[in-house]
Amino acid sequence: MPSPQFLDGVRVATMAQNVPGPLAVARMWQAGAHVTKIEPPAGDPLRSLAPAWHTELHEGITIEHLDLKTHPARERLMTLLDGVDLCITSQRPSQLARLGCDPEALRARVPGLRILRIVGSIAEPELAGHDLTYQAQAGILGDEMPRTLTADVIASERVFATALALLRQPPGATIDVGLVESLEPMLASLRHGVTTPNGPLGGAIARYRLYPARVGRVAIAALEPHFATRLYQQLNLPEGSDLSSNFRERTATEWEAWARERDLPVAAVKDYGSRSQ
């Protein structure tokens, strides 16, 4: 197993804001990297949106607030980049160019700098967007607002992995990571009809579905034949029959305990808040 501090001695500077960049560099800091964050004078938008989350993601990270529209701030940035192994950005290429922070300008002052650019889409890096629109472009939105920031989180994982790869490249290398492209692995189950509404893992089979309980909801994932057989045997039902009325007999928590005693894949659905509240 690699050491938890396998990035010890690596120096990272990041201008990446919102979620993907901070999530990725938080992992880099946890792995031993020294990280400096450059934020605009008003701070990262994540700070006002979710102050506690911003604090959590920036533990151990040095933050400097710089107005990169000014010459003194850009000079300070170049000082911060001196000796850095990797610089991460999340601004659109045109904005980086206006600030004098595009790869060509940065490497003119710091020749060996490796640069990882987070963009909305590698195909259309100037297109404005955020997690919701990236999920919409990829085709993974349902009828409701998403329950989590899927594009941001998946992209952060790709940023972390790409950063590790980039650190093994010669000094001066640049790699882009697109949020839309990061969602591509999630689309295979939809393309192949596995998780579409009529797909086997999209609700078409009774043993792999969500059910209302007397209180709460339960998730049933009795996919393998031995789980399916045991589930129906324990419920005294013909295999393949509807389970809706049965799961209303107990609370979700009670069903989860019942399933654990019988080695069945049943879990109470955690709910961090509903629209009715």
Side-chain angles (χ1 to χ4, degrees):
M1 293 291 291
S3 164
Q5 299 293 299
F6 63 91
L7 291 181
D8 186 33
V10 171
R11 298 179 61 83
V12 177
T14 176
M15 293 184 279
Q17 302 180 52
N18 293 308
V19 176
L23 268 175
V25 297
R27 288 191 61 190
M28 298 185 77
W29 175 78
Q30 291 165 2
H34 179 277
V35 181
T36 300
K37 170 83 173 292
I38 296 94
E39 293 189 357
D44 188 323
L46 182 62
R47 185 190 294 273
S48 58
L49 189 67
W53 195 14
H54 180 278
T55 299
E56 177 183 305
L57 291 177
H58 291 81
E59 179 185 357
I61 292 174
T62 301
I63 298 177
E64 287 213 23
H65 294 93
L66 298 176
D67 183 358
L68 294 175
K69 296 177 183 177
T70 67
H71 179 73
R74 288 196 294 273
E75 289 299 306
R76 174 59 182 162
L77 173 64
M78 296 306 168
T79 300
L80 292 173
L81 292 178
D82 186 32
V84 161
D85 299 288
L86 173 65
C87 177
I88 302 176
T89 67
S90 66
Q91 295 77 7
R92 287 185 276 180
S94 60
Q95 183 182 1
L96 290 173
R98 286 195 300 271
L99 295 174
C101 296
D102 55 285
E104 294 74 18
L106 292 180
R107 279 199 289 264
R109 297 288 301 272
V110 189
L113 187 64
R114 299 175 182 85
I115 299 172
L116 193 161
R117 298 189 303 181
I118 304 170
V119 296
S121 168
I122 294 174
E124 298 179 285
E126 293 294 341
L127 190 65
H130 278 295
D131 187 276
L132 185 63
T133 56
Y134 301 140
Q135 290 195 49
Q137 285 177 259
I140 63 172
L141 281 183
D143 295 329
E144 297 184 348
M145 289 290 289
R147 295 295 296 269
T148 190
L149 301 175
T150 303
D152 286 350
V153 174
I154 294 295
S156 78
E157 294 295 310
R158 180 163 287 192
V159 169
F160 181 72
T162 302
L164 299 185
L166 189 53
L167 288 168
R168 299 179 67 87
Q169 298 298 311
T174 297
I175 300 180
D176 292 348
V177 171
L179 275 79
V180 173
E181 290 81 5
S182 296
L183 289 170
E184 177 61 28
M186 299 189 66
L187 304 180
S189 64
L190 291 169
R191 287 199 309 270
H192 292 282
V194 177
T195 53
T196 53
N198 294 322
L201 304 188
I205 56 177
R207 66 182 189 274
Y208 195 96
R209 196 183 294 173
L210 298 175
Y211 288 96
R214 192 171 72 218
V215 177
R217 294 180 299 156
V218 289
I220 314 300
L223 189 59
E224 292 84 358
H226 66 281
F227 282 139
T229 298
R230 189 182 310 150
L231 173 67
Y232 281 101
Q233 286 177 344
Q234 292 296 316
L235 293 173
N236 295 314
L237 291 172
E239 193 161 332
S241 59
D242 182 70
L243 302 170
S244 302
S245 59
N246 295 79
F247 282 109
R248 291 186 181 276
E249 296 174 359
R250 309 184 190 196
T251 68
T253 301
E254 289 170 341
W255 279 118
E256 184 174 84
W258 174 89
R260 289 188 177 191
E261 292 175 357
R262 294 160 175 82
D263 188 31
L264 285 167
V266 177
V269 177
K270 289 184 179 179
D271 192 350
Y272 287 94
S274 66
R275 288 168 179 74
S276 62
Q277 291 180 324

